[in-house]
Amino acid sequence: WKDCGLCCYAVSCPLCVHAEVAVQNDIKGFCGAESMMMHILSVLGIETIVFPLSCVVCCATGVCCCLGPILGGVVRGAYHTQVRDGFKHKYGLPDDEFCFSYTMTTYVCWTCPGILDCTSCAAYQMAYFMKYNAPVKKEFKSPCYTLLCSVCSPKA
């Protein structure tokens, strides 16, 4: 946690960090999204479609109604996995994930909130690598990062 501003950004909005990492590394999002805003909107849009559909299925079948948040979490976990896999592939980073070397295991926490919380750490890890260790270092420029960085790491 050497960069408090980056840490605040990753903890406050891991979806934004993943989207910014994806855009800066030419990783397309859901539905071919290329801009940061479209990355975020595609994830939120699919979650918005999945949640009510799962409620209809739950009501029609009498299955537990907690299926909606779980499926929404699976959507977000799939997006994060897609970005992280693209990132690891681009930089030749190892598959050293949480369990069995499958990237998706890093994001299991989206399906079971509060049990495992690795999403923010994974976002920070990728962002830190890009900012300080990548062959071509990149600065984060989103308004969220700028605001959070100024609050968490005020300049002396």
Side-chain angles (χ1 to χ4, degrees), residues 9-131:
Y9 184 35
V11 169
S12 299
C13 191
L15 179 57
C16 296
V17 175
H18 279 79
E20 194 164 1
V21 164
V23 168
Q24 289 190 10
N25 288 286
D26 299 320
I27 300 167
K28 291 191 189 276
F30 289 159
C31 307
E34 292 183 10
S35 72
M36 185 173 166
M37 185 58 68
M38 290 311 297
H39 272 262
I40 293 167
L41 290 176
S42 67
V43 172
L44 296 177
I46 292 171
E47 285 179 345
T48 302
I49 292 167
V50 166
F51 188 82
L53 287 177
S54 66
C55 288
V56 168
V57 169
C58 288
C59 291
T61 61
V63 177
C64 173
C65 252
C66 66
L67 186 60
I70 290 172
L71 290 177
V74 169
V75 168
R76 198 166 290 210
Y79 171 71
H80 290 151
T81 298
Q82 176 183 340
V83 172
R84 190 164 174 93
D85 277 342
F87 183 81
K88 289 189 310 186
H89 178 72
K90 178 176 181 171
Y91 292 106
L93 299 172
D95 285 323
D96 59 353
E97 302 300 330
F98 180 67
C99 186
F100 308 118
S101 295
Y102 295 116
T103 305
M104 67 176 207
T105 61
T106 296
Y107 300 108
V108 166
C109 54
W110 279 105
T111 58
C112 305
I115 295 173
L116 298 170
D117 192 10
C118 301
T119 303
S120 296
C121 292
Y124 175 81
Q125 192 179 51
M126 290 186 299
Y128 188 89
F129 179 87
M130 280 181 49
K131 190 172 177 181

